[in-house]
Amino acid sequence: MLKFDVLIIGSGLAGMTLALHLAESRKVGLITKRDLLEGSSTYAQGGIAAVLDTGDSVEAHIRDTLVAGAGLCNETTTRFIVENSKRAIDWLIALGVPFTKDETHKTGYHLTREGGHSHRRIIHAADATGAAVTSTLGQKIKAHPNITVLEEFLAIDLVTSKKLGLDGNRCFGVYALDKRNDEVLTIAAESTILASGGAGKVYLYTTNPDTATGDGIAMGWRAGCRVSNMEFIQFHPTCLYHPQTKSFLITEAVRGEGGILRLPDGTRFMPNHDKRAELAPRDVVARAIDFEMKKHGLDCVYLDISYKPASFIQEHFPNIYAHCLELGIDITQQPIPVVPAVHFTCGGLVTDLQGHTDVDGLYAVGEVACTGLHGANRLASNSLLECMVIGRAAANDILKQPKVELPAIPDWDDSKVTDPDEEVVISHNWDELRRAMWDYVGIVRTNKRLERALHRIELLKGEIDEYYSNFHVSNDLIELRNLVQTAELIVRSAMLRKESRGLHYSRDYPDMLPEAKESVLTP
């Protein structure tokens, strides 16, 4: 058994922030499903929203967030995170993150604008901000003597007092699969943090990496945590549409810098849907693209920034330019074929501003959590900001906690299971689940579609639970079990909402109710 003062599950920006803030006085274990830098944070292109310019204001950033969130944002949470935005960016700069500079700007950095923002407030590192941030922090983490990074480790389930037959409901760590030697280890800790990201892989088409399988949401739910607002799945409007590439995101900043959405014949269509046109929030743009594709029978629409100087495009979007060029698309000369794809899980485990969940000793930070910041639709580039601000607050809270005596934890018992006889069951159910979610729980929903989805999910859940009970665990089985649980939470949350709001649009309830209410599920 491994023991740490603090165990962090997930190595994105939320997990890295916690590790670095805790490591000066705590022994920290950080487990990650693949390598340290593999995750959604690394793939983030656009940047981080923060109030850095004197022409901007905290009140304006809050207002933009509340508008995008369609009345469902928690104003106290939003204010706390926005007020701490400059401090978070200053921390990254002090650590050496190479943000794109602009000596003509009084901040010294280039600030871009994205959909839903009233000001230029997105600080970025060209069009690969996430990679720049995580690689910088990753170097600090690897060099720190108090941080143990366990790569190729997949959390299976949380160890709680309920499971151990003890009073109360406290978390004492996790059972995790060491994928390098196919062994399940017990990892004990006084404080455990879920920083495992979202659940994009529950859908057929997503911008998320393969690691985004809803693990933390499912584990937290099984341990007794409430979940909130799981119906609000954000579809990024512009994912590159090309048979030779997999879920490549075209950053919001392309539209922020003047990119225009067009039909195949060159007609611009966003002004017909919203007065903010291409700079409308993501839910509005994604629905507009979905509408135009269905109306005209299109496979994709086109994002055109080719009218800008080639030097401007190559300087601001070097990675997008290079990737598209490899596929035969010169974005300085021609538009980019794009479609909406699942991008972000706005709901998650219910937490407060310190990351506390309903289980003692268990925290959740980042996309796995629902703080109330994102409401019914996340404002662009607020996600990495939330990771840092809540991560720091959770770390400060953990440092104040009294010492906890860890109980005896039994080893993982697999004496009554065997090796699987037909692994095709896993691949088939994986495919069926993701197709059902894409077809029935997409950008536009109906009662009938949600009922069909839930029926299929319940059948799949039964099959997967039986398989899990009888055979040795594997990476694919653990992820599939978490995916089907998360899919059920998404559908059940969607069925609770008898209105259309933000990212949840129902043909049966097309109007928005006068009062915005959270949709909360309790285990």
Side-chain angles (χ1 to χ4, degrees):
M1 182 171 74
L2 300 173
K3 283 187 180 180
F4 298 100
D5 297 326
V6 180
L7 175 64
I8 301 168
I9 301 170
S11 63
L13 183 54
M16 287 183 169
T17 298
L18 276 148
L20 290 172
H21 282 303
L22 289 165
E24 291 308 309
S25 59
R26 298 290 188 275
K27 289 290 185 183
V28 176
L30 190 154
I31 72 173
T32 183
K33 290 167 73 169
R34 294 191 180 175
D35 63 57
L36 180 65
L37 300 184
E38 176 65 26
S40 293
S41 294
T42 296
Y43 291 98
Q45 292 179 350
I48 306 171
V51 180
L52 305 173
D53 186 358
T54 53
D56 194 5
S57 69
V58 166
E59 297 306 322
H61 190 170
I62 291 171
R63 185 168 58 250
D64 292 345
T65 301
L66 298 181
V67 169
L72 206 59
C73 299
N74 181 302
E75 291 195 37
T76 301
T77 299
T78 304
R79 179 169 294 280
F80 176 75
I81 291 173
V82 172
E83 285 180 343
N84 282 280
S85 62
K86 186 178 185 303
R87 183 183 190 184
I89 299 301
D90 289 343
W91 178 67
L92 291 181
I93 291 171
L95 290 175
V97 174
F99 290 115
T100 298
K101 290 193 162 52
D102 180 356
E103 301 305 334
T104 66
H105 197 277
K106 50 196 155 190
T107 64
Y109 294 95
H110 183 268
L111 303 179
T112 191
R113 185 180 174 192
E114 295 181 343
H117 289 275
S118 57
H119 291 78
R120 284 182 170 267
R121 64 167 68 100
I122 317 301
I123 190 168
H124 61 100
D127 59 349
T129 306
V133 171
T134 55
S135 62
T136 303
L137 271 57
Q139 291 171 15
K140 305 285 186 187
I141 284 170
K142 286 182 176 179
H144 204 294
N146 277 353
I147 302 174
T148 301
V149 178
L150 300 171
E151 295 180 321
E152 299 292 333
F153 270 68
L154 174 57
I156 302 171
D157 256 330
L158 298 167
V159 178
T160 61
S161 49
K162 280 187 177 179
K163 289 181 181 175
L164 299 176
L166 304 174
D167 292 337
N169 192 22
R170 184 176 187 89
C171 182
F172 297 112
V174 71
Y175 288 114
L177 175 67
D178 181 352
K179 297 193 288 182
R180 299 166 301 178
N181 54 25
D182 209 29
E183 179 185 6
V184 177
L185 297 181
T186 305
I187 308 177
E190 295 178 39
S191 299
T192 302
I193 300 101
L194 294 169
S196 51
K201 294 299 286 187
V202 79
Y203 284 87
L204 191 59
Y205 302 110
T206 175
T207 63
N208 291 179
D210 290 341
T211 52
T213 51
D215 304 322
I217 295 169
M219 284 192 294
W221 171 261
R222 290 194 293 265
C225 297
R226 291 169 298 152
V227 298
S228 180
N229 295 347
M230 285 296 293
E231 69 272 32
F232 298 116
I233 300 295
Q234 187 173 74
F235 286 71
H236 196 288
T238 55
C239 181
L240 178 62
Y241 179 76
H242 195 282
Q244 294 173 24
T245 196
K246 183 182 179 182
S247 305
F248 185 79
L249 179 68
I250 306 298
T251 174
E252 191 105 0
V254 173
R255 284 182 284 123
E257 294 294 341
I260 294 171
L261 285 163
R262 302 186 189 277
L263 298 175
D265 65 2
T267 303
R268 187 183 186 190
F269 59 85
M270 273 311 301
N272 298 331
H273 293 269
D274 193 282
K275 64 182 180 182
R276 293 163 292 186
E278 281 79 9
L279 289 177
R282 288 176 178 172
D283 59 329
V284 176
V285 180
R287 270 199 306 276
I289 294 173
D290 183 68
F291 174 86
E292 296 291 344
M293 286 172 60
K294 287 174 178 172
K295 177 182 176 182
H296 298 285
L298 304 173
D299 292 326
C300 65
V301 296
Y302 293 87
L303 180 58
D304 185 12
I305 198 167
S306 63
Y307 69 92
K308 291 273 192 177
S311 58
F312 175 91
I313 295 169
Q314 291 162 359
E315 178 188 351
H316 284 80
F317 308 111
N319 292 287
I320 294 173
Y321 172 75
H323 186 76
C324 288
L325 201 59
E326 287 176 4
L327 300 170
I329 304 167
D330 183 351
I331 68 172
T332 67
Q333 302 290 325
Q334 59 198 115
I336 309 166
V338 294
V339 293
V342 169
H343 185 57
F344 192 85
T345 310
C346 287
L349 302 175
V350 175
T351 70
D352 62 13
L353 293 179
Q354 287 72 46
H356 294 118
T357 68
D358 295 322
V359 177
D360 293 337
L362 179 67
Y363 297 75
V365 181
E367 195 174 350
V368 67
C370 183
T371 63
L373 171 67
H374 306 307
N377 174 47
R378 176 174 71 89
L379 181 64
S381 292
N382 268 353
S383 53
L384 295 181
L385 176 63
E386 181 187 41
C387 288
M388 289 188 293
V389 173
I390 302 298
R392 185 187 191 111
N396 289 338
D397 186 81
I398 289 167
L399 293 173
K400 297 174 185 173
Q401 296 304 311
K403 190 81 176 162
V404 174
E405 197 66 39
L406 293 171
I409 301 173
D411 291 337
W412 180 261
D413 183 9
D414 60 359
S415 61
K416 297 183 177 69
V417 298
T418 61
D419 290 328
D421 50 2
E422 290 185 335
E423 295 203 17
V424 69
V425 173
I426 295 178
S427 59
H428 176 81
N429 286 358
W430 180 285
D431 187 60
E432 186 176 342
L433 173 67
R434 297 176 69 214
R435 286 186 181 277
M437 289 296 289
W438 185 262
D439 290 341
Y440 301 132
V441 200
I443 294 175
V444 176
R445 301 164 180 176
T446 67
N447 289 345
K448 182 62 73 177
R449 290 177 188 174
L450 294 176
E451 288 166 6
R452 285 174 178 157
L454 186 59
H455 176 67
R456 281 160 175 76
I457 288 167
E458 287 172 344
L459 293 175
L460 289 170
K461 197 161 183 274
E463 283 186 21
I464 294 162
D465 286 345
E466 181 186 7
Y467 198 94
Y468 180 82
S469 300
N470 289 298
F471 300 115
H472 289 292
V473 295
S474 66
N475 182 90
D476 289 350
L477 175 58
I478 295 165
E479 289 185 333
L480 178 60
R481 180 180 181 233
N482 292 332
L483 278 174
V484 76
Q485 179 61 76
T486 306
E488 181 192 13
L489 296 173
I490 292 169
V491 175
R492 285 176 56 193
S493 296
M495 294 175 88
L496 284 178
R497 191 161 293 280
K498 310 298 184 186
E499 63 167 348
S500 288
R501 183 183 295 274
L503 298 162
H504 175 81
Y505 184 82
S506 170
R507 282 186 178 163
D508 295 301
Y509 309 104
D511 299 321
M512 188 162 66
L513 295 175
E515 184 181 358
K517 292 185 177 180
E518 306 278 331
S519 54
V520 180
L521 299 176
T522 304

